[in-house]
Amino acid sequence: DEALFLYSIIRGSRLKYILEIGGLSGYSARNFLAAIQPVDGYVYTVDINYVKPVGKNHRTIKKNALYLTPSDVDGKQMDLVFFDCHDMIQMDIFYKFVKEGIISDSTIISLHDTNLHYKSEGFDPTKMGIKETYVEAEGGYVHQYVEREMVNIFKSLGYDCFCLHTDPSKHNKLLPFRHGITICKKFKPLINS
């Protein structure tokens, strides 16, 4: 569902250039590539580990995202940046790319893993052997605190933030948790005259 939501934003807004920070298996990149077709755009994926390209318009960059340069993304201004590497260096990348013109006030910022994992229907990471980063909060567990904190920072920087989250009543054995997605865009007043 989150992939479908991002697909509709990319397709509906006719976005061409997408930067993905954290690529894993390439699932998001495939979705992004499908959304930009037939537009002649590119998806750039940076990951500290090798990510296999999943299409002709998919450029993968194997390096620490902190060392990204404008040339890594062909000097293009990004239409959407997808933050999904769970490290606060992502804010350093944001500030650096704003300064270098790669991220503008028109760039859509997307952050994955911003929802809580709720204690419904037996979801308990301590019983599942998944203690890692989970912290209890607001009736659930914070899975990735970094992206949640980044949303708060973007809000303080004048961004409108829309969190696509589910509340505990929507979860059951068929949907024990949802990772959640947040979309941010710099607010600009709508001129009426």
Side-chain angles (χ1 to χ4, degrees):
D1 295 342
E2 294 153 359
L4 181 60
F5 183 66
L6 284 171
Y7 177 96
S8 67
I9 289 171
I10 294 164
R11 188 71 165 207
S13 298
R14 300 294 189 253
L15 306 184
K16 289 179 65 170
Y17 300 108
I18 297 165
L19 172 61
E20 173 185 33
I21 312 288
L24 203 57
S25 67
Y27 177 85
S28 294
R30 269 191 281 296
N31 182 54
F32 298 153
L33 284 170
I36 65 172
Q37 299 306 323
V39 174
D40 188 23
Y42 284 92
V43 174
Y44 302 89
T45 299
V46 63
D47 199 295
I48 201 159
N49 299 304
Y50 174 74
V51 176
K52 183 179 177 181
V54 295
K56 67 180 181 80
N57 293 22
H58 185 210
R59 298 211 177 131
T60 61
I61 305 148
K62 181 182 183 280
K63 66 165 57 172
N64 181 323
L66 189 56
Y67 303 115
L68 271 177
T69 66
S71 64
D72 288 325
V73 295
D74 302 319
K76 303 284 186 192
Q77 181 179 302
M78 293 296 108
D79 295 315
L80 183 140
V81 177
F82 182 62
F83 288 109
D84 195 23
C85 85
H86 320 306
D87 192 302
M88 281 306 283
I89 67 162
Q90 294 175 121
M91 286 309 305
D92 295 329
I93 296 161
F94 169 79
Y95 291 123
K96 175 182 171 184
F97 270 13
V98 165
K99 184 177 179 182
E100 294 172 340
I102 301 300
I103 294 175
S104 74
D105 286 353
S106 297
T107 304
I108 296 170
I109 304 295
S110 177
L111 302 106
H112 194 220
D113 298 311
T114 55
N115 196 25
L116 294 173
H117 289 185
Y118 295 107
K119 299 177 181 183
S120 59
E121 297 297 327
F123 180 82
D124 183 348
T126 60
K127 291 181 182 173
M128 297 170 69
I130 322 174
K131 294 181 182 175
E132 54 179 83
T133 60
Y134 283 94
V135 173
E136 287 192 53
E138 302 174 37
Y141 296 96
V142 174
H143 171 54
Q144 296 293 344
Y145 76 91
V146 168
E147 281 76 7
R148 289 173 63 88
E149 182 57 29
M150 287 174 68
V151 171
N152 296 329
I153 294 169
F154 284 123
K155 186 67 178 170
S156 74
L157 294 174
Y159 281 76
D160 284 330
C161 301
F162 175 70
C163 301
L164 186 66
H165 295 164
T166 48
D167 64 65
S169 69
K170 308 295 185 208
H171 293 260
N172 55 39
K173 288 180 182 176
L174 296 176
L175 182 66
F177 63 90
R178 168 161 281 149
H179 292 295
I181 194 105
T182 298
I183 305 297
C184 306
K185 181 119 188 236
K186 192 76 174 225
F187 177 76
K188 291 193 317 190
L190 301 178
I191 305 302
N192 290 318
S193 59

